[in-house]
Amino acid sequence: MTACLIVIDAQESFRHRPYYRADDVPAWLAAQNALIAGCREAGVPIVRIYHVDGPQEAGNPFAEESGHIRPFTGLADFAADATFVKHRHSALVGTGLDVWLTQQGIRRLIVTGIRTEQCCETTTRHASDLGWQVDYALDATLTFDMVQPDGQPLTASQIRARTATVLDGRFARVRSAAQVLAALPVAQAA
């Protein structure tokens, strides 16, 4: 089965948001970069997704004018097989990604990137509903602490656990980067 690694929103924009914390970044980068290297070695295509939205002005870190729509510092340098810009949570809305995946014969997606519970989870649910099989590489996704509507804190760790619980067996196989890598073919046919 032809697979594809999707690297969602792994961009500098997040460093410029008030909720950004670097605590989990080293572990995420290690898992994300291992998947990039392993997929490249196995001949698995890699797609880069950027998120652009909000006012198109320099003060908005998700605007082109900010200069932050570029790879996250520390992310392995890779030549993407395709790059798409999205303006919604799902990488499959209005980007042409679905067409590209179909044209390439891709049937399995490996979802990674930033944020675990937002764009990564939304893309996973959408892809599953459209018929793709999805491996959700949990440790190769990054998120940040949030505050619940009742004012109680929700840690990044709790968010990851919640995402794994609601996705696994329903919308995706939730795996570690190491588990995804172990299941990759030695080299995919072109």
Side-chain angles (χ1 to χ4, degrees):
M1 174 173 295
T2 305
C4 180
L5 175 63
I6 310 290
V7 182
I8 299 173
D9 303 348
Q11 62 194 62
E12 278 297 303
S13 305
F14 288 97
R15 287 188 199 271
H16 303 277
R17 300 298 293 162
Y19 52 75
Y20 176 80
R21 297 291 178 269
D23 307 2
D24 296 333
V25 170
W28 164 67
L29 279 173
Q32 182 71 79
N33 288 339
L35 275 171
I36 290 168
C39 285
R40 187 54 72 214
E41 184 177 318
V44 172
I46 304 172
V47 170
R48 183 188 308 270
I49 307 292
Y50 286 121
H51 187 91
V52 175
D53 74 6
Q56 298 305 298
E57 56 191 42
N60 171 15
F62 287 92
E64 294 283 352
E65 292 81 355
S66 72
H68 303 307
I69 309 298
R70 57 186 163 80
F72 194 95
T73 301
L75 185 70
D77 186 27
F78 66 93
D81 293 277
T83 299
F84 297 91
V85 174
K86 67 181 182 59
H87 305 283
R88 300 283 186 256
H89 292 100
S90 173
L92 293 161
V93 173
T95 61
L97 173 60
D98 56 338
V99 173
W100 186 87
L101 292 168
T102 300
Q103 289 173 341
Q104 304 305 309
I106 305 296
R107 296 304 314 141
R108 177 173 298 282
L109 306 182
I110 304 163
V111 173
T112 66
I114 306 174
R115 291 182 68 177
T116 304
E117 78 292 351
Q118 287 187 28
C119 297
C120 295
E121 182 176 329
T122 302
T123 299
T124 295
R125 289 172 180 267
H126 193 173
S128 174
D129 282 352
L130 290 174
W132 277 283
Q133 294 184 1
V134 182
D135 285 324
Y136 190 92
L138 187 63
D139 58 344
T141 69
L142 178 67
T143 197
F144 310 98
D145 295 349
M146 297 175 74
V147 176
Q148 298 178 75
D150 67 1
Q152 295 298 310
L154 190 63
T155 67
S157 179
Q158 290 169 321
I159 293 167
R160 281 190 295 276
R162 175 242 166 240
T163 295
T165 301
V166 300
L167 290 182
D168 193 42
R170 294 171 185 86
F171 298 96
R173 293 186 311 175
V174 175
R175 302 287 183 257
S176 67
Q179 289 171 319
V180 171
L181 287 168
L184 288 179
V186 173
Q188 277 192 205

